[in-house]
Amino acid sequence: MGAIEVRPARPDDRTAVFAFCARTWGDDGDYIPYVWDQWLVDTNGVLLVAQLDGQPVGLTHMDMVTADEGWIEGVRVDPSWRRQGIGRVLISRSLAAAHERGAAVVRMLTDSDNTASQQLFAKFGFERVAMFAHYVAGALTEASAEPLPDGFTLRTPGPADLERVWAFLEASNLAPLNGGLLLQGWRAQALTTEVLERRLAAGEVWTLEGWGAIQALAIAHAN
């Protein structure tokens, strides 16, 4: 095998990349074709391609979700060239790209049964900080929603409630369960007071309150 070259992706890599991504999950295909154009012009991160003898054989995208938080996604290696160190080189270059852009931490998300990916990232010092279950449901009308318990109210607090909402989060068991992260789709970032304040201002925080205190909290936004 020749030397692995990693470089920024180019538009003319599309055909080769889509060809090996078509076999990522067998007959289920891959989401890469749906995000390729967006990732290719992403100025907030970098889309990297690994090639051998001029042929693309691997791919990954690193994006800066905040000024100091990087996110690695879409790590792909041509099935014909797996277990040749290509994924390791791609992750290494992604981490270097994140560092160059000011990242203090880099995160990723993978299926719980993808042990190969987990073991590969662990070699770079990645540690599991949380496990998530992804649910999807249709929206309900207010009339069809579950009634509130007696004495409870549902509120959308604003920025003036930041201190009490943050105090609830600090005292709850949410941080140990979710690693102190805010999950958005298939990405996550640290849930800081600044992020919470923006969510409060946008009306995206809901609290269930009773007995003079917050009893439950949800952060939700329209896709």
Side-chain angles (χ1 to χ4, degrees), residues 48-176:
L48 297 174
V49 160
Q51 67 177 29
L52 287 172
D53 299 325
Q55 177 70 14
V57 293
L59 175 84
T60 190
H61 180 240
M62 192 292 298
D63 192 35
M64 296 296 294
V65 295
T66 70
D68 60 358
E69 296 174 277
W71 187 263
I72 294 178
E73 58 193 345
V75 180
R76 302 288 186 267
V77 175
D78 187 324
S80 301
W81 292 100
R82 288 176 182 168
R83 301 186 183 279
Q84 303 294 325
I86 296 170
R88 184 177 68 250
V89 174
L90 282 168
I91 294 171
S92 175
R93 296 296 180 85
S94 295
L95 290 172
H99 178 74
E100 291 171 359
R101 288 163 173 76
V105 63
V106 180
R107 302 185 180 94
M108 55 81 70
L109 185 152
T110 188
D111 286 338
S112 59
D113 59 355
N114 191 348
T115 55
S117 180
Q118 294 164 25
Q119 292 170 358
L120 178 57
F121 275 88
K123 294 178 180 178
F124 290 92
F126 281 74
E127 298 179 357
R128 189 177 71 186
V129 296
M131 293 184 67
F132 299 96
H134 193 257
Y135 294 88
V136 177
L140 296 176
T141 64
E142 186 173 349
S144 62
E146 290 285 334
L148 297 177
D150 291 340
F152 281 72
T153 58
L154 189 63
R155 295 186 60 231
T156 51
D161 297 288
L162 174 63
E163 186 173 336
R164 64 189 294 267
V165 173
W166 187 255
F168 168 79
L169 289 172
E170 286 191 314
S172 75
N173 64 352
L174 292 176

Side-chain angles (χ1 to χ4, degrees), residues 14 17-19 21-22 29-38 59:
R14 175 192 296 263
V17 169
F18 286 14
C21 285
D30 201 334
Y31 69 85
I32 299 300
Y34 300 99
V35 296
W36 171 263
D37 290 334
Q38 174 187 342
L59 175 84

